[in-house]
Amino acid sequence: MSFENASIISSCSRWPLLIDPQLQGSNWIRGSQGDNLSPININQKHWMRELTKNITEGRAVLLEGIQQEIEATLDPLLSRAIVKKAGSYSLELGAEVIDYDPKFKLYLMTKLSNPHFRPEIAAQCTIINFIVTESGL
């Protein structure tokens, strides 16, 4: 199952949203991305500023602490509302327009074992379940 999940994460066109209470997916992403990954917890202070910086620099971000409701300011990013103008890319995030580097990658992660996301989230993200069950073992 973990191999299948890793394959989906590597090839999906939408941002992956990991249901990962045992941190297996998180550990794999941290190992595969190495120094290019910036883990950000949405409960920390100034997380949006850190996310914005990583988007403009084209770094990978593991956004941790996702709950059942994802902050509305992330909607343009989740729906990839990226605008190309004069050879450069931009994205309206929150109240400001920022530069967007196409090398940017986003991984969302929740530790909730049985989350109920809005249908829009399932349309914007690829939901990947890393929960290990007894029958799976």
Side-chain angles (χ1 to χ4, degrees):
M1 183 176 86
S2 293
F3 287 122
E4 290 172 5
N5 287 345
S7 177
I8 292 168
I9 289 170
S10 299
S11 63
C12 65
S13 60
R14 296 176 286 180
W15 303 124
L17 171 55
L18 286 61
I19 300 171
D20 192 19
Q22 294 140 338
L23 303 179
Q24 291 177 328
S26 171
N27 291 335
W28 176 76
I29 289 172
R30 289 172 193 267
S32 68
Q33 292 296 318
D35 292 336
N36 188 45
L37 183 71
S38 179
I40 300 172
N41 192 312
I42 61 169
N43 297 318
Q44 73 187 31
K45 207 173 190 180
H46 307 297
W47 68 271
M48 184 61 87
R49 185 179 330 143
E50 188 70 24
L51 176 63
T52 302
K53 183 180 100 176
N54 285 288
I55 292 171
T56 58
E57 293 175 358
R59 294 175 47 93
V61 169
L62 176 61
L63 196 56
E64 302 172 312
I66 299 293
Q67 298 299 312
Q68 293 185 123
E69 289 294 321
I70 296 178
E71 190 155 332
T73 55
L74 292 175
D75 279 344
L77 179 61
L78 294 180
S79 62
R80 295 184 188 232
I82 301 158
V83 177
K84 183 178 181 183
K85 189 184 280 187
S88 65
Y89 297 94
S90 63
L91 173 72
E92 188 173 335
L93 193 61
E96 62 181 305
V97 176
I98 62 168
D99 290 333
Y100 178 88
D101 189 318
K103 292 182 278 186
F104 169 75
K105 292 181 182 179
L106 177 66
Y107 305 96
L108 300 116
M109 191 201 75
T110 182
K111 287 184 180 179
L112 300 174
S113 59
N114 191 20
H116 297 283
F117 296 111
R118 295 176 293 145
E120 302 87 57
I121 299 302
Q124 294 171 326
C125 299
T126 300
I127 299 175
I128 302 167
N129 194 342
F130 272 92
I131 296 176
V132 176
T133 60
E134 277 189 45
S135 62
L137 293 173

